[in-house]
Amino acid sequence: MHESWLPREHSLYRPRHGTQRLALVCALVFFFLPGISVILFGPSNANENRRPNEFPSPADGWAFFTQLGPWANDHLAYKSGAVALSDWISRHVFGEPPRFDRNVQVPAPGPIAPPPPPPTKTPDPGEAPDRRPTGGFPQVIEGRDGWLYLGFDTQGKCQPSQSMDEIVANLKRLRQAVEGSGRTFVLAVAPDKSTMVPEYLPSRYGGKECAAKVGAQFWGRLTTEVGLLDLRAPLRDESIRLGRPVYFQQDTHWMFDGGLTMTRALADRVQPGRTSSWRVLPGSTWQGNADLPTLIGTSGQNSAMRYRLAPDGRDDRTNWINSDFRTPLIYQSAPVDGMVTKRVAMIADSYTQFATGFLAATFADISITHVERLNTDAQGMANRMADADTVVVEVVERHLAAGVSPITNPAYLDTISATLAARPIR
């Protein structure tokens, strides 16, 4: 029992002084204000790209008190407003943007998922690359006019996990394994936003010079030594035609214009001339969360038109299915004029999510599997390639240039090469 609770006539009675009362009030606020605010105002809007901390258990002992702070921070009803206020103060009082290099947990690549900086020379099979930022490279680069760029666009090129020689050699080995088995191979690299829309980048940022040097080397060697479906010129032409960039302002991905451009280029490469009958019509407006603001504790929205594609010039055959390809996405339909009849196995990443509806309208038989599935099911991926007569690989520039994509992991290439060699087609 505290001495202030004793009867006044008790010899040990001591009243609380001002400092004790202040400490007691602070303790009550600390313990009860987060819960009361949730009851009165509802939970906070999630604005970070990670799972919020759960309420600690009293059974955790003293850890209950250390874990209570992170829980309260994640669930304060007014958190989003506090973050916005902090951003405003940083910019308008101190004249600088808020820090963009916080250690944020980033989920696996997806429609709003940025790529991870790798810690090892060559990723081990089944081991996900480290996703923590390193010194000198911000997670987000703030450009002009509200444009945001992913910091790993530069960091991955400046601190690669594989040398350029290793990356090129592994991609050449993949091509040889596919073509040596009698199949067609197409490598499509989705350019980084910083590659296609550099005009809004700041004049100075970490890694600018080395990233430009490595990027030029990357595109040059893949073009001359590996062979690829270079999407840079078609994307640039589409941007000029539209009079605007085909990448989102606050997201690292391209818009549906980019997905349609890639689909058209793939169709013409796999089965030339198929797109001559195509008719593209305006579709509905699509909205979704932007991925880059979540890395700095704020939020943003993407908005773009999702087109309709009639490969025969008459009937709309777009079919949008919400999938991240972790479970293979399979489209099969009776072909019409303008559709590709080859059986295609596509290995892709999140950029292809802005093309799936167009791919459904274009390819009569296609399976799409996320490239990260190689980490958990390399044999299953190899089997899907063996079931097809055409293998398409789409990977974003920064993952290939950094050597963190599973598609350049020698252990996985061993599995793919052996499987395709055992099941050749003539």
Side-chain angles (χ1 to χ4, degrees), residues 239-374:
S239 179
I240 293 173
R241 187 186 71 84
L242 294 170
R244 58 166 175 77
V246 296
Y247 285 70
F248 290 108
Q249 184 181 36
Q250 294 193 330
D251 195 287
T252 191
H253 296 90
W254 57 30
M255 300 180 183
F256 295 98
D257 313 280
L260 180 60
T261 299
M262 179 186 71
T263 303
R264 187 188 299 273
L266 286 175
D268 281 333
R269 175 63 64 88
V270 175
Q271 219 164 326
R274 302 303 288 174
T275 63
S276 59
S277 60
W278 279 19
R279 185 184 182 195
V280 179
L281 300 171
S284 60
T285 298
W286 172 89
Q287 291 185 329
N289 294 327
D291 61 2
L292 295 178
T294 63
L295 296 179
I296 56 176
T298 60
S299 60
Q301 283 287 310
N302 294 327
S303 180
M305 179 175 292
R306 195 157 61 176
Y307 302 95
R308 296 176 291 146
L309 173 58
D312 60 359
R314 296 185 302 273
D315 298 325
D316 171 23
R317 296 178 69 94
T318 51
N319 182 13
W320 294 100
I321 296 178
N322 186 20
S323 171
D324 61 2
F325 324 136
R326 305 290 169 158
T327 298
L329 177 61
I330 299 175
Y331 286 114
Q332 292 177 322
S333 61
V336 299
D337 291 343
M339 293 186 71
V340 175
T341 56
K342 300 283 188 179
R343 190 173 188 185
V344 178
M346 185 172 185
I347 312 302
D349 59 23
S350 57
Y351 280 70
T352 292
Q353 289 185 309
F354 294 91
T356 52
F358 309 133
L359 293 169
T362 301
F363 293 89
D365 191 336
I366 184 172
S367 66
I368 309 172
T369 310
H370 201 289
V371 65
E372 295 268 332
R373 273 295 294 269
L374 281 168

Side-chain angles (χ1 to χ4, degrees), residues 36-79:
I36 294 173
S37 66
V38 170
I39 295 173
L40 295 178
F41 305 109
S44 64
N45 295 324
N47 61 356
E48 293 188 47
N49 206 357
R50 61 175 173 83
R51 183 185 299 275
N53 286 285
E54 296 182 356
F55 188 79
S57 170
D60 294 337
W62 285 108
F64 171 83
F65 299 98
T66 60
Q67 296 170 9
L68 193 60
W71 169 83
N73 181 63
D74 281 354
H75 292 82
L76 285 176
Y78 38 81
K79 179 182 179 181

Side-chain angles (χ1 to χ4, degrees), residues 62 150 208:
W62 285 108
L150 186 65
K208 178 180 179 180

Side-chain angles (χ1 to χ4, degrees), residues 96-117:
E96 62 181 21
R99 288 180 55 200
F100 285 169
D101 58 350
R102 285 181 282 176
N103 186 359
V104 181
Q105 301 175 29
V106 180
I112 59 169

